[in-house]
């Protein structure tokens, strides 16, 4: 089951504070190398900074596969595409915020066409849905969004839609599948060094808390920008 980021503090995951295995100076030096590399070859777009993880002493066939979500203090992917599947209230709100949105009729128009639903799921990184609509999604769209790992997050009427979108953009997911490599977005090259440090520490500490033998399951950690060279953290 996914782990709520708020619970992680009870499990010894700290948002700041040092990591026993990685010195602060080394962490900052690695981040500087990534940022300098992206400055040397300026791209036309904002590069994402990824944490790449290699695990060891894990058997994805036998061992329990973990999955956990954690909300980072700073949004790693500001350009992440989010679509609102809403009732009249949320569609109006989404429109005023410039967010893509669809109501029940819009979803009915897919006519359960698997190809169209797959294309729709691919277009966005995440979905939010109103309470009245979230219950209808399996009936209107079938298992398409679920298969893509993008089943919508519930948004209540009393919640601020803009804050909810930011929360989705700030949340990253660690999930072990069939291979022992993982990568997650932990920042972007427009962030300050200290913001990337905050995000990285929380991400790594949270990942370690998910592993059955903690640091003993970590083989290597790298960080890299989208187009840059990987820099070894651990």
């Amino acid at each position: 089951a996914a782990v709520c980021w708020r619970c992680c503090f009870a499990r010894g995951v700290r948002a700041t504070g040092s990591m026993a295995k990685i010195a602060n100076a080394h962490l900052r030096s690695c981040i500087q190398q990534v940022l300098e590399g992206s400055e040397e070859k300026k791209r036309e777009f904002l590069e994402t900074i990824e944490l790449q993880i290699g695990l060891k002493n894990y058997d994805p066939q036998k061992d329990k596969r973990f999955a956990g979500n954690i909300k980072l203090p700073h949004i790693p992917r500001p350009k992440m595409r989010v679509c609102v599947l809403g009732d009249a209230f949320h569609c109006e709100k989404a429109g005023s915020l410039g967010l893509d949105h669809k109501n029940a009729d819009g979803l009915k128009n897919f006519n359960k066409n698997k190809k169209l639903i797959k294309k729709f799921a691919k277009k966005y990184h995440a979905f939010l849905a109103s309470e009245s609509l979230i219950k209808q999604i399996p009936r209107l769209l079938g298992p398409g969004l679920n298969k893509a790992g993008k089943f919508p997050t519930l948004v209540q009427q009393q919640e601020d839609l803009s804050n909810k979108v930011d929360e989705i953009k700030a949340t990253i997911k660690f999930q072990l599948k069939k291979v022992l490599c993982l990568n997650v977005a932990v920042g972007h090259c427009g962030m300050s060094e200290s913001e990337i440090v905050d995000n990285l520490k929380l991400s790594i500490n949270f990942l370690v808390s998910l592993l059955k033998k903690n640091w003993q399951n970590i083989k290597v950690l790298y960080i890299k920008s989208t187009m840059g060279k990987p820099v070894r953290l651990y």
Side-chain angles (χ1 to χ4, degrees), residues 203-215 218:
S203 305
I204 295 169
N205 285 338
F206 180 64
L207 167 71
V208 169
S209 80
L210 291 175
L211 302 171
K212 60 173 186 175
K213 290 184 180 171
N214 306 117
W215 279 98
I218 303 267

Side-chain angles (χ1 to χ4, degrees), residues 7 10 26 36 57 64 83 119 130 135 162 164 171 174 180 186 200 212 221 227 229 231:
C7 310
H26 176 62
E36 281 164 13
N57 305 331
K64 189 169 179 269
C83 181
K119 196 176 171 187
S130 308
K135 297 163 187 165
S162 176
K164 194 75 180 177
T171 301
F174 289 102
L180 292 179
V186 290
L200 255 181
K212 60 173 186 175
L221 294 173
M227 308 301 285
K229 291 175 184 166
V231 177

Side-chain angles (χ1 to χ4, degrees), residues 22-37:
I22 302 173
N24 268 332
H26 176 62
L27 188 71
R28 288 183 179 274
S29 155
C30 291
I31 291 167
Q32 281 162 9
Q33 285 178 60
V34 169
L35 292 176
E36 281 164 13

